[in-house]
Amino acid sequence: MHTNESAENYLETILILSKSHPVVRSVDVASELGFKKSSVSVAMKKLRETDQITVSPEGYLCLTESGRATAEKIYERHLFLSEWLEKLGVDPVVAASDACKIEHVISTESFAAIKKHIDLDSME
C-alpha cells in the first residue's frame, strides 16, 4: 500500500468511526481495519506530525481541518464508486472492495468527469 494511500485509509476510517462513536481511539481504528494496535500507533504518530489529526491526553483522535478534508474526499469517492458499481450489477461486497482500491488512485480530474457524466439516481 502506498504511503499516501495508507494515510488516506486511516483518515477515512477515523471519519467513518466518528459518525457512529462518541470518541475514536487508536484501538477502534485497529479493530475496524484488522491491524495491530502497534501498527496503528505508528501511523497515528505520522498523521499527528503532518497535522492531519490531533490526539487528546485521553487518546481521542480528532481530524484537523486538512485531515477532515482529505477523509471526506476519499469517503465521497468510496460511496459514489461503490454505489455506481453496484448499480452496474457488481456484487455489493466486491463493489465496496473495488471502490476502496479505486478511491485512492483515481485523479481528482477523472473522478470529477465520472461524477459529471453519471447520474446515480437515474440508473436502474
Side-chain angles (χ1 to χ4, degrees):
M1 190 179 286
H2 186 270
T3 305
N4 191 43
E5 181 179 335
S6 178
E8 289 174 349
N9 209 28
Y10 281 115
L11 293 169
E12 180 186 24
T13 301
I14 294 168
L15 176 69
I16 292 167
L17 289 172
S18 71
K19 294 176 185 293
S20 60
H21 293 59
V23 294
V24 179
R25 299 162 301 149
S26 289
V27 67
D28 301 318
V29 174
S31 175
E32 180 72 16
L33 294 173
F35 295 164
K36 288 187 206 165
K37 189 175 181 312
S38 57
S39 300
V40 173
S41 293
V42 169
M44 294 306 107
K45 182 175 189 278
K46 288 179 183 162
L47 291 175
R48 214 172 44 245
E49 289 170 351
T50 57
D51 292 321
Q52 299 292 302
I53 64 167
T54 59
V55 182
S56 75
E58 303 81 16
Y60 304 151
L61 309 175
C62 290
L63 295 168
T64 62
E65 195 173 319
S66 65
R68 177 169 295 281
T70 298
E72 287 178 348
K73 176 185 82 173
I74 297 301
Y75 189 53
E76 177 200 9
R77 289 177 178 187
H78 179 86
L79 293 176
F80 182 90
L81 293 166
S82 186
E83 185 177 346
W84 177 46
L85 291 169
E86 282 184 48
K87 287 188 177 200
L88 291 174
V90 177
D91 177 88
V93 174
V94 175
S97 174
D98 286 348
C100 198
K101 295 170 191 155
I102 297 167
E103 70 196 29
H104 298 289
V105 295
I106 193 169
S107 70
T108 302
E109 182 181 355
S110 291
F111 182 69
I114 290 170
K115 265 185 74 177
K116 181 179 174 187
H117 287 88
I118 294 173
D119 179 5
L120 290 177
D121 293 330
S122 71
M123 290 181 75
E124 292 299 316

